[in-house]
Amino acid sequence: MLHMLPMMLRGALVTGEVTAGAIVVASVASSCAVAMRLSTLTALDWPARVYIELFRGTSALIQLFWAFYALPLVLPFRPSPIITAIVVLGLNGGAYGAEILRGAILSVPRGQHDAATALNFSATTKVFRVVLPQAWPLILPPMANLFIDMLKNSALAGLVQVTDITFNAQILQESTLRNAEVYGLALVIYFIMALVLAGFMRLLERRMKFPVGARI
Amino acid sequence: MMWNWSFAWHILPTILHGMVITIEATILGMLLALVLGLFWAGLLLLPNRWIFWSTRGITEFIRDTPLLIQLFFCYYVLPEIGITIPALLTGITVLGINYSAYTAEVYRAGLQNIPRGQWDAAKALNFTTWQTFTRIILPQAIPPIVPAMGNNLIAMFKDTPLLSTITVMEMLDRAMIIGDKTFRYLEPLTMVGILFLIISLMASALIGFTQRKILVRR
């Protein structure tokens, strides 16, 4: 089993890359989508709504296969597998993230928005100094779950030629036929990665716990 | 490459045939998840520390590892230990076990919402633990968690395409077979996506409806 480890760890590095990339894409996508969702302009609200429903209503694997097999037939170029995987998994996570952000922002009392307006705060000040600091404690725990889901979803990238843990495990399985060892090892590596990510998110949560009036 | 309607019509029956298997897998998988999840939740209620922590460990491991690898593991390893079952059954079992880890949490939340006094009162009335659980606690704990279970059902429905990786001929698998044969992936994959979208939108509307019903009744 030991000789499998280097190849699996190389896969783990790619899995980490895909997950990290997807988390960045998801963060940007969900921020944009939630800003559009909360705007009073229907022309902005609707595209965001369609994006969220489209990605939440279909399966991540179908989205990935669609982008990998069907989209290049329409596009003038073919993006590399890892880029396809990062963008698709990121957009998928972003749709779920947008709903998390929306719920948290809407749960900040209306009066806080009004008070910021009454104090003549600019829109950016209002969002970053008044609303978000109060929404963070509500955002982080479900975001942590989402990021772990995205780590697990990154295994799908192995099905579209991205050389991650899943892909390398399949190759090892075919060449060695030691099924239990290969996939058992893959499960353990994913589990450890999830624990590390969860630990990191918990650390972040603790630091963000008292964003308002932190200096006691 | 443009969309070809006559080709799309031509392959629709094949894909709808796959949808039957998709729905079959979802319903059977969910039934297993509901039963097994309740079993985990019950174990977590027992006052034994060893049972508690091993149950926690199992469900945590299931929830922190990808469903895809769990599928591969069972698909390749079960025959090695002498269990040869059809791929669909393997898929349903793995889906059910995977989601039982999530339904267990939902059950737990529902059970924790039942005041301690209900257990005490049942004890005072000389009910056995089993009677208390099945007659007093569960009937109160189940209705509020129906929407959360519904969300799990939709999530599982959206995970069934993974079964295509272990040769289950559900919707996605059929779409890919058509694509590999004809080199036209656009129509089959888009159609599968739209079918998924329609069903999950309808299902979430239904869940929203039951949620409002439950809120009104309280």
Side-chain angles (χ1 to χ4, degrees), chain A residues 17-55:
Chain A
E17 271 170 36
V18 172
T19 309
I23 286 176
V24 171
V25 173
S27 304
V28 175
S30 57
S31 308
C32 291
V34 82
M36 289 165 74
R37 270 302 261 119
L38 294 175
S39 97
T40 42
L41 292 173
T42 329
L44 286 178
D45 181 26
W46 270 98
R49 234 178 233 238
V50 170
Y51 156 64
I52 293 170
E53 291 299 332
L54 199 64
F55 275 88

Side-chain angles (χ1 to χ4, degrees), chain B:
Chain B
M1 183 185 221
M2 289 307 289
W3 181 274
N4 183 336
W5 279 107
S6 68
F7 177 64
W9 273 116
H10 180 67
I11 59 173
L12 187 62
T14 318
I15 288 177
L16 287 180
H17 220 112
M19 192 157 104
V20 176
I21 295 178
T22 296
I23 291 174
E24 209 176 275
T26 311
I27 292 173
L28 292 176
M30 194 64 194
L31 281 179
L32 178 59
L34 286 175
V35 174
L36 197 59
L38 186 60
F39 175 69
W40 298 133
L43 285 184
L44 289 173
L45 282 180
L46 294 178
N48 184 319
R49 191 177 292 221
W50 282 102
I51 296 179
F52 180 87
W53 284 111
S54 42
T55 310
R56 262 270 114 117
I58 294 170
T59 53
E60 195 68 32
F61 187 81
I62 293 173
R63 275 187 292 144
D64 279 347
T65 49
L67 175 61
L68 181 64
I69 311 289
Q70 294 169 3
L71 276 172
F72 283 163
F73 187 87
C74 292
Y75 181 68
Y76 289 108
V77 175
L78 284 184
E80 282 186 354
I81 56 171
I83 303 174
T84 41
I85 51 175
L88 178 60
L89 199 55
T90 309
I92 290 170
T93 311
V94 175
L95 269 180
I97 292 175
N98 183 280
Y99 273 83
S100 73
Y102 295 90
T103 56
E105 286 301 306
V106 178
Y107 279 123
R108 217 164 101 82
L111 291 172
Q112 275 172 346
N113 274 336
I114 306 301
R116 255 238 60 91
Q118 296 282 326
W119 287 94
D120 299 338
K123 187 167 240 172
L125 290 168
N126 218 6
F127 280 34
T128 63
T129 311
W130 177 251
Q131 278 176 330
T132 312
F133 190 62
T134 52
R135 301 280 185 82
I136 310 289
I137 305 299
L138 271 189
Q140 297 182 76
I142 300 287
I145 61 173
V146 169
M149 286 302 181
N151 286 333
N152 270 321
L153 180 68
I154 297 183
M156 180 187 277
F157 171 65
K158 287 185 291 181
D159 268 340
T160 51
L162 292 186
L163 300 196
S164 66
T165 59
I166 57 164
T167 71
V168 174
M169 296 265 281
E170 47 66 72
M171 269 201 275
L172 182 63
D173 196 51
R174 283 169 197 255
M176 288 307 289
I177 291 174
I178 294 169
D180 290 341
K181 261 193 219 148
T182 59
F183 294 107
R184 295 194 71 96
Y185 291 98
L186 185 63
E187 291 89 349
L189 284 175
T190 309
M191 285 161 70
V192 171
I194 291 172
L195 284 171
F196 263 91
L197 190 62
I198 292 172
I199 295 178
S200 39
L201 283 180
M202 285 195 319
S204 37
L206 193 68
I207 288 170
F209 177 74
T210 40
Q211 195 157 23
R212 278 193 294 280
K213 272 265 151 120
I214 290 167
L215 284 178
V216 166
R217 217 191 288 167
R218 281 220 204 130

